[in-house]
Amino acid sequence: MLKYLFVLLSIFSIHAHAAPIRIASDIWCPYICDNQTGYVVELTRRAFEIQGQPVEFQIFPYKRALIELQRNNIDAVLALTSSAIVENQLINADVIVGYNSNDFYTLVDSNETFEQITDLNNTQQAAIVTGYHYGVELDAWFGAHPNTYFASGRDPLAMNIIRLVKGRHSVIIDNKNVIEYTASQLNLTQQLRYAGTIGKPVPLYVGFNPHNKAYAVTFTNGIEMLKANGEYQQIMSKYKILPALTSDEARHKNLQKFLPIFN
């Protein structure tokens, strides 16, 4: 009994002094938000914390997050497609944390619809986020049309929405939940219109640094533990009603900083 107690105490001591796992992503609310909120952030944090592993989150633009991971400055990047994980030679824990879709939004007075890629041929200018993958065919279309606008920075989708409202673009492409959440924080929801979706939803995963394969295993185990104790469903249920609860003043004020740029 004393031997087993010593082993348990040793394990506890190791976890208590464990260096935090460094996880990064750009802002993609309601999946990944400021102030360490968003359902993917909460699930990931709790998956590690429930096993005694501290977590440190950082907000980086998408492309920089991948660069910092390649430099071993961070250990994981949230919400990646399987193709992005393979392309960057990362470890996939094979736990789906959400789905991405290519949803198209225009201004309310537009009558454009988007159901297939050829529908883009008649639009004035499309705006996307630099570094993201929208599928082979859409990526090829964006690359072949120099008038495509690639937004970057800390909150590129917010800038695309504002530029759309200001008449700089005719359509923006991103995930429907993310567009509607960000537009609500900018008080611009009533000016946007859902114009269609091209392609099927794509699963999203957490991509781990190949030098720390054990973190992927820990994450998988943690998610199973959260499902077993009910926390997983609690977090998911909390964010299902996110639009009714999102009065995050810090997020709102941060997005308002973009507005003077376009006045």
Side-chain angles (χ1 to χ4, degrees):
M1 288 297 294
L2 288 175
K3 182 174 75 172
Y4 289 124
L5 179 60
F6 177 76
V7 170
L8 289 173
L9 289 174
S10 297
I11 293 173
F12 177 80
S13 177
I14 290 172
H15 281 307
H17 296 87
I21 175 174
R22 302 158 300 175
I23 300 176
S25 178
D26 58 358
I27 295 174
W28 207 52
C29 284
Y31 300 89
I32 302 146
C33 310
D34 270 331
N35 304 321
Q36 298 192 23
T37 58
Y39 88 81
V40 176
V41 173
E42 289 199 29
L43 284 177
T44 304
R45 184 181 68 243
R46 286 298 301 141
F48 284 105
E49 288 180 347
I50 199 172
Q51 299 174 87
Q53 172 64 57
V55 177
E56 178 183 293
F57 277 101
Q58 301 178 58
I59 297 296
F60 287 146
Y62 178 78
K63 291 185 73 174
R64 183 187 166 192
L66 292 174
I67 291 172
E68 294 298 325
L69 192 147
Q70 296 291 348
R71 293 174 176 172
N72 296 321
N73 292 328
I74 58 176
D75 303 303
V77 176
L78 298 180
L80 299 180
T81 63
S82 59
S83 60
I85 290 175
V86 171
E87 179 181 333
N88 291 277
Q89 299 181 323
L90 307 180
I91 300 298
N92 188 346
D94 204 25
V95 175
I96 297 175
V97 296
Y99 289 86
N100 187 29
S101 54
N102 295 318
D103 302 308
F104 291 68
Y105 276 74
T106 67
L107 293 177
V108 291
D109 58 357
S110 171
N111 59 7
E112 288 187 291
T113 58
F114 300 89
E115 297 178 352
Q116 53 191 4
I117 293 178
T118 54
D119 292 334
L120 277 165
N121 295 334
N122 300 318
T123 197
Q124 180 183 357
Q125 185 184 68
I128 59 176
V129 175
T130 187
Y132 276 30
H133 292 279
Y134 296 84
V136 175
E137 293 182 334
L138 273 174
D139 284 345
W141 192 95
F142 296 139
H145 291 75
N147 65 331
T148 301
Y149 181 79
F150 293 83
S152 61
R154 182 177 174 85
D155 212 328
L157 177 58
M159 296 191 69
N160 276 349
I161 291 174
I162 293 169
R163 290 176 66 91
L164 176 67
V165 171
K166 295 292 184 179
R168 310 290 177 85
H169 315 302
S170 52
V171 61
I172 59 175
I173 302 96
D174 210 297
N175 177 273
K176 185 176 183 178
N177 292 329
V178 182
I179 290 177
E180 293 189 356
Y181 176 91
T182 305
S184 71
Q185 291 293 293
L186 289 164
N187 295 323
L188 296 175
T189 302
Q190 300 302 316
Q191 299 190 49
L192 302 187
R193 162 184 167 270
Y194 169 67
T197 298
I198 293 180
K200 297 180 179 180
V202 177
L204 298 173
Y205 306 89
V206 179
F208 290 90
N209 191 315
H211 295 290
N212 296 307
K213 295 181 180 180
Y215 283 145
V217 177
T218 303
F219 175 68
T220 302
N221 292 339
I223 291 294
E224 291 302 318
M225 294 170 72
L226 294 179
K227 289 180 177 179
N229 70 9
E231 279 193 68
Y232 185 97
Q233 189 56 50
Q234 289 175 8
I235 293 172
M236 296 300 291
S237 298
K238 171 183 175 182
Y239 282 92
K240 282 180 182 178
I241 55 173
L242 184 63
L245 300 176
T246 51
S247 59
D248 184 351
E249 294 182 2
R251 163 75 173 168
H252 184 271
K253 290 179 180 178
N254 181 57
L255 290 177
Q256 297 305 307
K257 295 176 183 178
F258 289 101
L259 293 174
I261 298 175
F262 300 95
N263 289 335

